[in-house]
Amino acid sequence: EIFQRLLPRVYQIVDEINRRFVIQINERYPGNEDKVRKMAILYDGQVKMANMAIVAGYSVNGVAKLHTEILKNQELHDFYEMFPEKFNNKTNGITQRRFLAHANPLLADWATKKVGAGWITDLSLLSKLKAYADSPVAQQEFAEIKRANKVRLAKYIKEHNGIDVNPDSIFDVQVKRLHEYK
């Protein structure tokens, strides 16, 4: 009632989308009021915006393969049966490889020089860096990269927040958690 009263024209449009969609449900599942109850956009005094998004949208995306499967097989199964082509998965995240390549180009370039570019598509190839663990030269190169990145971050913090940060202090920064399975 509030939606209809506050947004009468929008409500008319939603009502028409719902009317047409309920016809589709009834054509596909004749006499199945349970399907209409679960899938309708407007039902029993409620506006189900998730249903609206599925009906009017082009794509339904789970944020991970597991989530997409839950949507398809459980939470939105009725919609998946009716619109399987809309359901897909695009993981909402970044792999460690891509994170390293984009967030730390100096270290990524160093790793590429040491073990080749294959690590960019196969993270396990970074294990070849173990061969350099005891190398004083490699340790010095790594330390220089770390220092250059801390100087760059200190400059960014100064420019954007007006705070002076000593690049020789310990930095503990986490922007987004990284999932091992990615």
Side-chain angles (χ1 to χ4, degrees):
E1 291 176 18
I2 295 171
F3 181 30
Q4 187 174 13
R5 189 173 70 247
L6 294 177
L7 302 167
R9 180 63 182 133
V10 175
Y11 179 83
Q12 286 176 335
I13 294 167
V14 171
D15 189 42
E16 180 60 19
I17 293 169
N18 181 65
R19 186 188 69 75
R20 293 179 187 189
F21 181 55
V22 169
I23 290 170
Q24 287 182 295
I25 297 170
N26 284 322
E27 287 173 353
R28 177 105 184 232
Y29 307 103
N32 191 336
E33 186 60 26
D34 190 50
K35 290 277 189 193
V36 173
R37 179 185 58 76
K38 288 195 283 186
M39 298 175 74
I41 298 162
L42 301 173
Y43 193 86
D44 198 26
Q46 293 185 349
V47 181
K48 299 178 182 179
M49 294 308 290
N51 293 7
M52 173 72 167
I54 296 166
V55 172
Y58 174 78
S59 176
V60 178
N61 176 46
V63 296
K65 186 174 182 182
L66 173 64
H67 298 132
T68 302
E69 292 305 310
I70 291 169
L71 293 177
K72 288 171 21 178
N73 298 320
Q74 295 172 29
E75 302 303 318
L76 302 174
H77 183 70
D78 293 321
F79 287 98
Y80 176 67
E81 283 183 331
M82 197 159 178
F83 306 113
E85 71 283 355
K86 288 188 178 189
F87 286 75
N88 60 84
N89 177 63
K90 293 175 191 73
T91 298
N92 179 16
I94 186 167
T95 65
Q96 295 97 324
R97 305 176 319 270
R98 288 182 59 219
F99 181 82
L100 176 56
H102 293 290
N104 196 339
L106 295 175
L107 186 58
D109 289 345
W110 181 80
T112 299
K113 288 175 189 164
K114 298 293 185 196
V115 300
W119 71 267
I120 295 171
T121 56
D122 181 357
L123 186 66
S124 69
L125 294 179
L126 285 180
S127 66
K128 292 180 179 181
L129 290 173
K130 290 177 185 174
Y132 300 97
D134 296 324
S135 164
V137 172
Q139 290 173 1
Q140 181 60 37
E141 292 168 344
F142 187 86
E144 289 169 7
I145 291 167
K146 184 176 178 179
R147 175 90 166 75
N149 283 328
K150 290 172 79 175
V151 167
R152 185 169 58 113
L153 179 57
K155 181 180 174 187
Y156 180 91
I157 293 169
K158 177 67 174 174
E159 287 174 5
H160 290 84
N161 302 96
I163 300 169
D164 287 310
V165 176
N166 179 352
D168 294 316
S169 60
I170 295 174
F171 284 31
D172 183 7
V173 178
Q174 181 177 354
V175 177
K176 182 178 182 345
R177 68 178 187 254
L178 298 177
H179 300 279
E180 183 178 340
Y181 67 89
K182 294 180 187 173

